[in-house]
Amino acid sequence: MLALASLSLVLLAGVYVYALGSARGFAFDDDALVDFLFENDHVTAYWVTKAVFESLNIVSGAAGCAAIGALVLWRRGPAAALILLLSIAGAVLAAQVLKLGLGRVDLLGGEARRSLGAAFFPSGHATAVMALALAATFAMPATLRAPVAVLGGLGSATIGIAAVFLNGHYPSDVVGGYLLATASVSAALGLSAMRTPRATRSPALAHADTVAETHPRGLETIAQVIGPLVIALALGFAVA
């Protein structure tokens, strides 16, 4: 998991350099912005997209964290629940710090040239929805991780697409948010075992985690979560 976190940070830096430090990156981001939602013929589509985007807010985010925290508390104990919730909060906080810091410092000189303005990378909404999706997936028993990952990927793609369609963010901002969330949650899981001692587990929990207990957890767990999630993300963006 620490390797995945490290890779995510490297990719995050790469996306930033490409988007704000290269002509192709600028062109790709600008070409992705759309105007049709702001035309009179698409008023309904605009408000639907806006409602979808704004469905992820402080209230819904807090509710999601509470549900994930309660599940992990029941299955894994207070320490694991605290670590996972801190990884979500840390990702969201890091997004805001990076957004303001990079916008002010403007390392590559590209922030001021962006048509949407400075301080947009990475997207806070994309970071939050991906952090919630990853945390929810890892909180589940091994047998449920794939379907939850698919749902989380589709939800993340929906919020990301809405952010771009509303001209609230560039695609690179959204991808940056996804990578930042992946780094935060993966690092937290890598630093914690996310497991309670066998002696404290109920028979039901032990049965639910049979696959996780009898197979290596590293690459297999990543494949169970990241694979379906990435596929769902790709399908979501492809449909859009």
Side-chain angles (χ1 to χ4, degrees):
M1 301 307 294
L2 291 178
L4 176 61
S6 299
L7 176 61
S8 299
L9 290 177
V10 171
L11 292 175
L12 174 64
V15 170
Y16 177 77
V17 171
Y18 177 75
L20 285 93
S22 72
R24 288 187 177 182
F26 272 106
F28 177 82
D29 272 345
D30 281 335
D31 290 345
L33 298 180
V34 297
D35 295 323
F36 69 88
L37 284 183
F38 300 93
E39 299 173 358
N40 292 333
D41 294 339
H42 298 89
V43 173
T44 301
Y46 168 80
W47 285 110
V48 170
T49 305
K50 186 177 177 64
V52 169
F53 181 71
E54 293 181 348
S55 66
L56 180 63
N57 50 46
I58 295 178
V59 176
S60 60
C65 286
I68 293 170
L71 176 62
V72 179
L73 179 65
W74 175 63
R75 297 190 65 248
R76 302 292 187 179
L82 178 62
I83 290 172
L84 198 55
L85 291 178
L86 285 176
S87 73
I88 300 173
V92 174
L93 178 60
Q96 299 307 313
V97 171
L98 281 175
K99 189 183 301 185
L100 296 176
L102 292 174
R104 176 169 297 184
V105 176
D106 198 4
L107 295 172
L108 302 176
E111 293 278 2
R113 291 184 288 158
R114 295 184 117 190
S115 58
L116 294 182
F120 279 84
F121 183 94
S123 165
H125 273 72
T127 303
V129 70
M130 179 60 78
L132 287 169
L134 286 170
T137 304
F138 279 114
M140 293 293 171
T143 53
L144 296 178
R145 282 177 182 159
V148 174
V150 170
L151 292 175
L154 291 175
S156 298
T158 300
I159 294 296
I161 292 167
V164 175
F165 276 14
L166 292 171
N167 288 348
H169 278 288
Y170 292 104
S172 60
D173 302 334
V174 173
V175 174
Y178 293 160
L179 291 170
L180 179 59
T182 302
S184 180
V185 176
S186 299
L189 293 173
L191 294 173
S192 67
M194 278 293 290
R195 309 169 83 173
T196 55
R198 290 177 182 268
T200 64
R201 288 185 174 183
S202 67
L205 293 184
H207 175 72
D209 282 343
T210 297
V211 175
E213 290 294 298
T214 57
H215 296 279
R217 296 178 61 83
L219 293 177
E220 181 173 337
T221 300
I222 293 174
Q224 289 173 344
V225 176
I226 301 301
L229 193 147
V230 169
I231 291 172
L233 276 175
L235 288 174
F237 280 100
V239 170

